[in-house]
Structures are given as C-alpha cells and as structure tokens.
Amino acid sequence: MATSSSLPSPFSLLSTLLALTILLLQSPVSHANPDAYFHACLSNNRWKNPSAPVSVTGALYTRHNSSFSYILNLHIRNKRFNRPNTPEPIAIITPFHESHVQAAIICSKASKFQLRIRSGGHDYEGFSFISDVPFVLLDMYTLKSIHVNIQNGTALIEAGATLGQLYYKVARNSNVHAIAAGVCPSVGTGGHFSGGGYGNLMRKYGLSVDNIIDAKIVDVNGNILDRKSMGEDLFWAIRGGGGASFGVILSWTMKLVEVPPLVTVFKVNRTLEQGVTDLVYKWQHVAPKIDRDLFIRLQHEVHHKRVQVTFIAEFLGRTDRLLSLMKKNFPELGLTESDCVEMPWVNSTLFYSEYPIGTPAEALLFEAKDPAWSYSKSKSDYVKNVISKKGLQSIWNKLIESEIIIMQWSPYGGRMWEIPTSATPFPHRAGNLFKISYYITWLQDEERVANHNLNLLRSIYKFMTPFVSKSPREAFFNYRDRDIGACPSNGTTNVDAARIYGAKFFRENFDRLVQVKTRVDPENFFRYEQSIPPHKG
Ligand SMILES: Cc1cc2nc3c(=O)[nH]c(=O)nc-3n(C[C@H](O)[C@H](O)[C@H](O)COP(=O)(O)OP(=O)(O)OC[C@H]3O[C@@H](n4cnc5c(N)ncnc54)[C@H](O)[C@@H]3O)c2cc1C
Ligand SMILES: *[C@@H]1O[C@H](CO)[C@@H](O)[C@H](O)[C@H]1NC(C)=O
Ligand SMILES: *[C@@H]1O[C@H](CO)[C@@H](O)[C@H](O)[C@H]1NC(C)=O
Ligand SMILES: *[C@@H]1O[C@H](CO)[C@@H](O)[C@H](O)[C@H]1NC(C)=O
Ligand SMILES: *[C@@H]1O[C@H](CO)[C@@H](O)[C@H](O)[C@H]1NC(C)=O
Ligand SMILES: *[C@@H]1O[C@H](CO)[C@@H](O)[C@H](O)[C@H]1NC(C)=O
C-alpha cells in the first residue's frame, strides 16, 4: 500500500487533466482512432510515478501480448462467460499502484471506452469483465495487500484481496478474531464487500458492510478519496450499493470481530422418512430467533429422487453449550455430541467451503477453480412468513422435478434485525426470516444443456412466488441476476428503467443511491447492466 506522500497532489492531478484536455482538443484522431488515443493517453509522462514498481504501460495487456488470454481467463469463474463469442476487452490493466487506477479511469473516459472493474471475478452475470460496447478491463487482483492490526482491531484490505487471503491473514495474527463475510475463499473483497457480504457470522455481527469503517476510492475525475473526503453519502452508497456504479474501490478498513478460540460446527442430514418436513417447519421458528452465537443453514438437494435436507451449523462456543441450546430449542433434530466438531474459527471457514475436517488453513490461499462449478446460475429470494407444512411438501415435489437444483436457506435474526433498513443500501433487515439461494451447476459445454438448466431454475423460482417476498419480490444484490431486470451494456440514464431491478435489490434505498450517483458521476461513466443511473441534468 502506497503511503499518502506518494500520491499525486491535487495540483499534479489538475495539471494532468489539463494536459489531457489539451491533448483531446488538439487531437483530431481521438474519435476516429480511440485505440491510439487511449495508448497515447496512458503513455503520457504524467502517469510516471516514482513509487510505482512498473509504469502503467507495463501493466497493460492488449491482444498483442501473448498472455492477454491467460490474464483475461484467470478470474473468469463461470464458463458461461468464457465462450468463443464472449466479447473481449480492448485492453486489460492490472494495476500495481494507485496511479494506474487513476490512469485507467481518465484514459478510458477520454477515449470513450467503457471501464469494467474486476476483483475476484465471481460476478454471477459476468458484469465485471464483459460488455457489448468497446471496453477496458481494470483487473484489480494485483492490488491485494492486507494489514491486520490486532491492537486496533482493524484490517486494511486492498480490493483485489480474496476472502481466503483475508481469513488466513487474520488467523495468522490471532485465534480470537475473525471477519464477518461469506463462504468461498476465492471471492474478491472488491465485489463482495461493496455488494453487502453475508456469511455465517451475520446473526451476531451483521454483514461485511456493517463492519466497514473506512474506504479508499478513485472517483470519475481520478481523485483518491477516503471516508472523510468522499463524504458520508458516498461512503454509505459503496457499502452495499455496489462499487462499480460510483468509482473504483482501492481498499477497505474493516473492524475485526471477536470469536472464541474454538467454535463448534455440525452437518447432519435428514430425509422425508426421518420427518424432514416437521424439522424444516420447526427450523423456521427456531433458527432466526435462537441465540445469535448459533447459525444453522439448510441445504436442500435431491438424491435418487429423494429430498435430503442438510443442517449445517456454526456455533461461537463449545459443544456442551451448543447441545444444551439445541436440547432446549430444537430437540427434534436429535443432535448428538458425536455430530459436533470443535475447531478454530479459521478451520470452520474451510469446513463451510466443504473441505474435509483437518484441512490445513493454507487451503484458503489455493485459488484453483472448482470443476463442479464450471457452468452455473444462481438466484435469490427472501422469506418473511413461515411456510406451512403443506407448502413445504409442495416445494419438495417441485425440487424432485427440478433434478439438480440446490437450495440454501440462511437464517436472519439477531444483529440483522437490529440494524435499520436505511443504515446501508442493503434493505433486507427486520422481518426477514431467511434468505433463499438457488443454484444450478453443470459441466457440459452445450447450448441445449444450458437452456434446459436455466429453464429448470426459472421454473422453480416461479413456483416459489407464493412463499416469498412481494411488491417488490426482493433479491440479494451480490447475487446478480439478469432475469429480474437489466439494461443494455451501455447502461441507462433512465431512473425508471433501473428501478425495476433497483427496487428489488435496494427497496426504498434506491432513490438515495440515485441521488449519490447524480452528485458523484452525473455523466454516468461508471455503468453496467444493473448499475445505478444518475438523474438527467
Ligand atoms: C461460489 C460463490 C460463493 C459465494 N458466496 C457468497 C457468500 O457466502 N456471501 C455473499 O454475500 N456472496 C457470496 N457470493 C457472491 C459474491 O459475493 C459476489 O459475486 C461478489 O460480487 C463477488 O465479488 P468479486 O470481487 O469476486 O467479483 P467481481 O466479478 O470481480 O465483481 C463483482 C461486482 O463488483 C464490482 N467490483 C469488483 N471490484 C471492484 C472494485 N475494486 N471497485 C468497484 N467495483 C468493483 C464489479 O464491477 C462487479 O460489478 C458467492 C459467489 C460465488 C460465485
Ligand atoms: C505488452 O506488450 C507491450 C508491447 O510489446 C509491452 O510494452 C508491455 O509491457 C506488455 N505488457 C506486459 C504486462 O508485459
Ligand atoms: C490505531 O488507532 C490509533 C488510535 O485511534 C490511530 O492513531 C492509529 O493510526 C491506528 N493505527 C492503524 C494502523 O490503523
Ligand atoms: C448423510 O448423513 C449420513 C450420516 O451422517 C452420511 O453417511 C451420508 O454420507 C450423508 N449423505 C449425504 C448425501 O451427504
Ligand atoms: C485447523 O487448521 C490447522 C492449521 O492449518 C491444522 O493444523 C489443524 O489440523 C486443523 N484442525 C481441524 C480440527 O481442522
Ligand atoms: C445503448 O444500447 C442500446 C441497445 O444496444 C442502443 O439502442 C442505444 O442507442 C445505446 N445508447 C447509447 C447512449 O449509446
């Protein structure tokens, strides 16, 4: 992380802008040949920063560089977005210094290229690295330093760092501190935190965004801003409203949360014959209200045409206290001591990612792609009213018909119900019993299979309508989903068109996001298919 003395002063930035304006005015080729203009802009001496390990042109890949495809594909996590006809960027910039991010923004804007910003590349719709209009990819994975300060109880995290790198680093410093964030070590903090970030500590500590206390961002004019200089409205917006509508996140400062030296996990499955309908019915009453140290997720899947529900739990305490809590509140599950495994928090992050017990923490740094997730599509829903036993039975039947769809139900309550709806752009707080995630994954590179699977997912989503939130049917912003409304790649300046998806993701917070956008990016440079548009001038 560069020290503040190495940043360009406002004066040097101003002169850069001036020089570029002159370049633009003098250059009759700028529209005829935006490509040449883009390269000329990047080569400008103004971007030569003595503290940058390489110049911005040394961090630039075009199709002429032999490693262009390798860099492009490195963080494509879903092969649906890596097909022969997938549009490619005209250039990729992998920044090694903040000035490279500034150059990427200023030069893309001046050349009229769109900018797509990628950190971990997990976007469920590929919005971070695909566009139908000519675009530059700013690939942040190179800015990934993490500084943990146990005394202050904070971590300074560059946006290209992954959750796994962060969990590992925290655990190296302390066994009683943790990060409130999600499951899956290769997810990037750039997208995950700016989109909300939920995980199995949320009932006790809320979302990732509820623990972010500062951030550094580069705005549309190339200014580097922190919480103080960006203002509380922009700092509010990037904690759940998405980074990519507002600027490029360079880093986050996050509060660490406290955990005991040993947590307890369990994973038990139950079938119809074992009374799973009654158990899931009871779970809806128990899981959102039980002690906030306990998070019990459900995973529903079909094996040999039979529904199986797995109860996967994280408990911030030891086995004996967990067993007495379960005996008092949920004896029907029949949890026994032998189902429970105690381990340090960091190991539990691996357990949740389905690594076998005993896997060393270094696995968090391992970034290989999961072959089972070759092709995938996901959706989300929120449930505010308990689903009846009859309703559950109809869902089991639909699930059997839906073959390979997996549903996860994650309970809310605790801290999630205490934080006001308007505290961050994430609006799904009090009143939500649980969130549903739907997943379908497949291995075959065939249009027919893809269409079949997408239809299965859409069909169960439609089937679930009576059981989930209405007007709007809410959706989790970190689970981007084109089906719930999207704009063309060049984005929209039409607030009413954007409200179709905006109300589902943000409810009444959408209007405030539009206000912030109008202040910080009135020309709508930062845009994508589900971005926040500004009010027109
Ligand atoms: C296997 C898997 C498991 C998941 N588990 C969870 C979970 O447990 N909890 C949860 O909340 N979510 C989960 N998600 C969703 C995940 O949080 C989102 O997909 C998130 O947006 C991914 O962030 P990323 O940086 O990896 O993605 P990217 O594709 O790089 O980016 C996602 C979005 O953020 C923008 N963005 C990225 N970096 C920046 C930046 N530096 N500045 C500005 N904008 C930026 C992109 O432009 C894009 O719009 C999961 C996803 C997958 C694929
Ligand atoms: C890509 O190729 C150009 C021209 O040969 C070179 O200047 C640049 O450094 C290369 N990029 C990287 C990241 O190696
Ligand atoms: C730790 O906190 C102190 C007091 O708030 C502050 O002055 C210092 O800069 C912090 N250090 C880091 C590394 O954040
Ligand atoms: C269900 O649990 C049993 C007993 O713990 C285990 O043996 C079995 O592998 C589990 N089934 C699946 C499909 O996970
Ligand atoms: C937890 O992780 C440590 C460090 O990597 C490892 O040695 C240990 O075996 C793990 N323990 C459990 C119970 O998973
Ligand atoms: C955006 O794209 C749409 C559809 O591709 C097109 O009709 C429209 O003219 C474009 N708008 C701008 C401002 O480029």
Side-chain angles (χ1 to χ4, degrees), residues 431-449:
N432 289 286
L433 296 175
F434 56 96
K435 179 178 80 89
I436 301 182
S437 317
Y438 309 82
Y439 301 93
I440 189 158
T441 63
W442 65 97
L443 300 171
Q444 305 90 323
D445 177 22
E446 281 175 56
E447 202 78 24
R448 185 187 53 81
V449 176

Side-chain angles (χ1 to χ4, degrees), residues 341-344 346-347 350 356-362:
V341 187
E342 297 182 342
M343 56 179 69
V346 70
N347 299 56
L350 287 167
I357 286 168
T359 302
E362 278 68 28

Side-chain angles (χ1 to χ4, degrees), residues 403-441:
E403 305 164 16
I404 51 170
I405 285 179
I406 295 181
M407 269 201 285
Q408 281 181 347
W409 294 7
S410 296
Y412 276 38
R415 187 79 190 115
M416 290 299 286
W417 284 355
E418 291 169 353
I419 296 173
T421 301
S422 60
T424 70
F426 178 97
H428 324 285
R429 304 281 189 174
N432 289 286
L433 296 175
F434 56 96
K435 179 178 80 89
I436 301 182
S437 317
Y438 309 82
Y439 301 93
I440 189 158
T441 63

